[in-house]
Amino acid sequence: MIVENTQTQMRKGILEYCVLLIISRGEIYASDIIAELKQAKLLVVEGTLYPLLTRLKNNGLLSYNWVESTSGPPRKYYVLTPEGTQILSQLDTTWHELVYAITTAQQGAKPTTEEK
């Protein structure tokens, strides 16, 4: 159905931004990222997240640390790099611009003082 495709594309469009936001709060394990995305109703499976994390790392936006686990093999914990923090700041600006654009589209443009 057309609406389902549009909804999927909208979610995909903000997934990278949401992942960067989550990681920006501090070192985090991939399964915890998935849990947060699911809680936010951005349903994501490992097959979607791991390639995204790899791409973000290869682009210099993330790094990771191996941390020993008491219940199995060592785990990768992801953190933003300084470049990742800079990109996230730019995406924050874009997000606010998009929210403004959507709000304006929903409510209609209000005339400026010059147009009155």
Side-chain angles (χ1 to χ4, degrees), residues 17-113:
Y17 177 56
C18 290
V19 168
L20 290 172
L21 282 171
I22 291 167
I23 296 171
S24 74
R25 296 193 311 259
E27 196 173 65
I28 189 166
Y29 184 53
S31 65
D32 295 329
I33 297 170
I34 290 172
E36 286 200 37
L37 291 170
K38 284 183 178 178
Q39 184 177 359
K41 302 200 190 277
L42 282 170
L43 301 174
V44 175
V45 294
E46 290 181 18
T48 301
L49 182 63
Y50 284 107
L52 174 58
L53 291 172
T54 298
R55 184 169 50 80
L56 293 171
K57 183 200 165 291
N58 290 345
N59 288 338
L61 306 183
L62 301 180
S63 64
Y64 60 81
N65 300 309
W66 287 101
V67 177
E68 290 297 324
S69 171
T70 57
S71 61
R75 296 178 172 185
K76 276 186 190 178
Y77 281 80
Y78 293 88
V79 295
L80 288 186
T81 62
E83 184 178 354
T85 301
Q86 180 181 5
I87 294 296
L88 179 57
S89 177
Q90 293 171 357
L91 292 176
D92 282 336
T93 299
T94 301
W95 176 253
H96 293 292
E97 291 168 351
L98 288 170
V99 168
Y100 174 79
I102 291 168
T103 302
T104 301
Q106 288 174 328
Q107 298 173 357
K110 299 193 183 352
T112 64
T113 53

